[in-house]
Amino acid sequence: MLIDAHCHAYEFSHEDLRKYRSSFRIICVSEDLESSIKSLEIGEAFPNISPFIGLHPWNVPETPRSEIDEIVKLIEKREVAGLGEIGLDKRMGKAYQRQKEIFEIFCKLAAEYGLPVNLHALDAWGDVLAILRRYDVERAVFHWYSGPIDLLEELSDNGYMVTINPSVKIQRRHRMVLEEVSLDMVMTESDGPYQYRGLNLKPDMIPELVEFIAEVKDTRREAVEELIERNFLRFLR
């Protein structure tokens, strides 16, 4: 099976998602209450899609506490595979302290319910790692990791993973991560549907991405595919 470990699948039509049923395992991440509900519905309709719910840090400033409480109720009352897309974003530069407060709420829930987390950590990689450790979150993936190379060892020591995105072909920093990271902590992602520097990111790009990873790591495509699937199953367990 091919793996898309970070996809906004609720933005695709059911017709589009059907073509991934037999060959993909997908994590559908959410951004707010509305998308969290949609992700849960997608998860019920498609057995190969695992719904993650939460609040994207970009949405923290405008989101009232009542809506955050509703997301928490969904976590407590419904079958969710994990929490995400959650985290911190220093580059956005908005309400960073409140971002931390909300992120800590989700990390506490992840630890309490034994749920994996799917993370946005742009320019806040170290802060996110520190909070994960504080709350003893066992399973975490840093999506589209372009952070410090020397932090990869710490992530690995904590059992955490990173995703590699098709942008690795054109984004120098992300390419450096791929060159240095151990494949036993890597999953593939599309972050689709998303336009990035001329790339139309979607799950269809994963097969070519696996080929590219195999080329950079000087190994067989089949070996990369098997290892990423194993990492995915270990992440969701």
Side-chain angles (χ1 to χ4, degrees), residues 8 10-11 28-40 51-64 66-72 74-75 80 82-86 102 106:
H8 301 265
Y10 66 87
E11 293 188 35
C28 177
V29 293
S30 309
E31 302 170 30
D32 53 21
L33 177 59
E34 180 181 3
S35 58
S36 291
I37 292 170
K38 289 180 179 178
S39 293
L40 289 168
F52 277 47
I53 71 174
L55 183 67
H56 194 294
W58 292 354
N59 293 329
V60 165
E62 302 84 23
T63 303
S66 59
E67 188 169 316
I68 295 167
D69 290 343
E70 288 301 314
I71 296 173
V72 170
L74 290 177
I75 296 167
V80 300
L83 306 184
E85 178 174 357
I86 60 174
I102 303 306
F106 287 120

Side-chain angles (χ1 to χ4, degrees), residues 54-234:
L55 183 67
H56 194 294
W58 292 354
N59 293 329
V60 165
E62 302 84 23
T63 303
R65 183 55 192 254
S66 59
E67 188 169 316
I68 295 167
D69 290 343
E70 288 301 314
I71 296 173
V72 170
K73 288 178 183 177
L74 290 177
I75 296 167
E76 294 172 340
K77 293 181 179 179
R78 297 191 62 170
E79 188 69 26
V80 300
L83 306 184
E85 178 174 357
I86 60 174
L88 303 174
D89 190 320
K90 276 188 177 177
R91 191 176 301 181
M92 181 182 67
K94 291 182 180 179
Y96 192 65
Q97 187 55 43
R98 187 162 192 260
Q99 286 185 49
K100 281 187 172 181
E101 292 169 3
I102 303 306
F103 181 49
E104 289 184 4
I105 290 172
F106 287 120
C107 285
K108 183 178 180 181
L109 288 165
E112 181 179 352
Y113 290 96
L115 295 170
V117 295
N118 207 308
L119 301 163
H120 178 109
L122 191 59
D123 290 349
W125 315 101
D127 286 353
V128 168
L129 176 58
I131 292 171
L132 293 175
R133 284 171 165 168
R134 187 183 311 153
Y135 287 92
D136 295 321
V137 177
E138 291 188 0
R139 291 173 288 156
V141 61
F142 287 69
H143 118 83
W144 199 331
Y145 186 82
S146 58
I149 300 299
D150 58 9
L151 199 62
L152 288 171
E153 185 175 353
E154 289 187 59
L155 297 183
S156 179
D157 289 345
N158 283 273
Y160 299 151
M161 300 185 190
V162 302
T163 55
I164 300 297
N165 182 280
S167 68
V168 70
K169 288 188 173 184
I170 60 173
Q171 190 182 43
R172 180 175 173 273
R173 184 69 183 177
H174 200 38
R175 168 67 182 260
M176 290 171 61
V177 168
L178 175 58
E179 290 172 351
E180 296 296 330
V181 72
S182 171
L183 282 179
D184 63 4
M185 60 179 291
V186 166
M187 293 188 287
T188 44
E189 67 145 74
S190 72
D191 199 21
Y194 188 61
Q195 297 290 329
Y196 179 77
R197 290 169 56 183
L199 296 176
N200 180 23
L201 300 177
K202 55 184 177 179
D204 305 69
M205 299 188 75
I206 298 296
E208 187 177 340
L209 174 58
V210 172
E211 291 276 9
F212 185 78
I213 293 172
E215 178 183 330
V216 170
K217 290 299 195 180
D218 192 24
T219 189
R220 294 180 304 110
R221 174 212 163 94
E222 293 79 10
V224 172
E225 196 170 307
E226 290 171 6
L227 187 53
I228 288 173
E229 183 177 9
R230 193 183 314 151
N231 293 342
F232 178 84
L233 295 174
R234 178 161 53 90

